Amino acid sequence: MDLAYIPSPSTGVIHLGPIPLRGYAFCIIIGVFVAVWYGNRRWIARGGTAGTVADIAVWAVPFGLVGGRLYHVITDYQLYFSEGENWVDAFKIWEGGLGIWGAIAFGAVGAWIGCRRRGIPLPAYADAIAPGIALAQAIGRWGNWFNQELYGRPTDLPWALKITEGANREAGTYHPTFLYESLWCIGVALLVVWADRRFKLGHGRAFALYVAAYCAGRGWIEYMRVDEAHHVLGLRLNVWTAIVVFLLAVTYIVVSSRLRPGREEIVEPKAEKKAGEKEEKAEGSEKAGESDADVDADASSDDAVDLGKDGKDVEHGAGKS
């Protein structure tokens, strides 16, 4: 008898009249909001202007969603294009199925376009939003809880996830891999924030640290999952992907730190230009104030001279009378 477990929601959809409100979509939306909000704070702290992160996210988020869905559909094509399956389901993103690898890759393309339009270096932008992306993933993973998907092997641990009978799943208690990854992503965000403050990471190294740390956790969490997946040399495809991407991220950190040590001094030229204009205006105001003070001082001196002359005339006049 199970004494404790994490219950799964009876449904992942709440209908508000004719409008379906899906838990999976809510988790994705909230995650994006948190990533943009926190990324904006970090961007401003690094010398950027408010609103820039959101403007670039307008490009990055749609690209990321498309890329994430494409990766999922391509790597799990049998779910949509095998015999007895309906290929139209490949477009039903609300039912779950976003590959983080495709989301980050395509999202980076969208961010590059947005950065290029604003004259901003992509690595600096990536460093600013890296912890926010990790937090967005931590929130987004709860969408899998609503859909009762991507759980691990059977277990009777007190924190086991209870799964109900449904399409392509058997009732039972399983490892809550969605929870493991959510907690891991929070740890990754904290690690990146700490390392960025401690070592002043720049030129994309904070983002690379996020990628490497996420891959390290995704590897062992992926290994625990029991959902259908392609295997290469006995390992799930996503485990191999995590290993390869981890090595690339670590290599980037090492090479980048040697070629471009330190952190960017200017992350947004327009912000620097505005700051310069403000300083010039302030200097101009100070000079104008000094000029006015000089004029007032000269006027006071002239008045004093005139007053002195008038005083002498009065004295002479008094003596004559």
Side-chain angles (χ1 to χ4, degrees):
M1 179 179 179
D2 296 324
L3 298 179
Y5 57 80
I6 301 173
S8 291
S10 57
T11 179
V13 185
I14 298 176
H15 287 84
L16 187 61
I19 303 175
L21 304 178
R22 303 182 182 276
Y24 185 87
F26 265 111
C27 291
I28 298 298
I29 293 172
I30 294 172
V32 170
F33 174 81
V34 170
V36 172
W37 169 77
Y38 190 51
N40 182 65
R41 292 188 58 182
R42 285 175 52 82
W43 184 251
I44 294 174
R46 293 195 61 177
T49 58
T52 296
V53 170
D55 291 343
I56 297 176
V58 170
W59 289 90
V61 173
F63 271 75
L65 291 174
V66 172
R69 188 59 176 178
L70 280 175
Y71 182 89
H72 167 72
V73 172
I74 292 173
T75 55
D76 290 308
Y77 61 87
Q78 72 281 355
L79 300 177
Y80 308 100
F81 302 105
S82 60
E83 186 177 354
E85 302 294 344
N86 186 1
W87 63 271
V88 177
D89 292 341
F91 297 95
K92 297 179 180 179
I93 192 172
W94 54 86
E95 293 184 355
L98 287 175
I100 185 61
W101 317 111
I104 294 298
F106 274 63
V109 173
W112 175 79
I113 294 174
C115 288
R116 186 177 177 82
R117 289 168 60 89
R118 295 182 69 99
I120 293 172
L122 177 61
Y125 178 81
D127 284 341
I129 65 173
I133 294 177
L135 292 176
Q137 288 178 250
I139 297 171
R141 271 306 177 199
W142 285 85
N144 301 133
W145 176 65
F146 281 101
N147 287 353
Q148 296 195 50
E149 60 185 359
L150 307 187
Y151 43 84
R153 304 187 186 110
T155 182
D156 57 358
L157 291 171
W159 57 84
L161 175 67
K162 186 173 184 180
I163 296 295
T164 60
E165 189 72 26
N168 301 320
R169 66 173 186 256
E170 296 181 3
T173 54
Y174 302 85
H175 277 284
T177 50
F178 85 91
L179 178 60
Y180 298 161
E181 186 167 337
S182 180
L183 295 174
W184 183 268
C185 287
I186 293 174
V188 169
L190 295 175
L191 172 65
V192 174
V193 171
W194 171 82
D196 194 25
R197 292 177 179 176
R198 175 67 177 79
F199 302 106
K200 302 296 181 183
L201 301 177
H203 302 287
R205 289 188 287 277
F207 184 81
L209 176 61
Y210 144 72
V211 172
Y214 171 74
C215 289
R218 179 62 184 267
W220 67 266
I221 294 172
E222 183 74 25
Y223 188 74
M224 296 178 64
R225 282 168 44 173
V226 295
D227 54 300
E228 185 177 356
H230 296 287
H231 287 71
V232 178
L233 300 178
L235 293 179
R236 293 167 65 97
L237 177 60
N238 281 334
V239 174
W240 283 111
T241 304
I243 293 173
V244 172
V245 176
F246 172 83
L247 293 175
L248 291 175
V250 172
T251 301
Y252 179 88
I253 293 174
V254 174
V255 175
S256 175
S257 61
R258 293 179 178 177
L259 296 178
R260 307 184 70 183
R263 176 186 285 180
E264 302 92 337
E265 294 183 1
I266 300 175
V267 297
E268 190 168 0
K270 289 184 178 180
E272 191 71 15
K273 184 179 179 181
K274 289 181 180 179
E277 291 176 352
K278 288 182 179 179
E279 289 180 1
E280 290 179 0
K281 288 182 179 180
E283 290 177 0
S285 299
E286 290 178 0
K287 289 180 179 179
E290 291 175 359
S291 299
D292 293 340
D294 292 341
V295 171
D296 292 340
D298 292 341
S300 299
S301 299
D302 293 341
D303 292 342
V305 172
D306 292 340
L307 180 59
K309 290 180 180 180
D310 293 343
K312 289 181 180 178
D313 291 341
V314 171
E315 291 177 359
H316 290 314
K320 288 179 182 179
S321 61

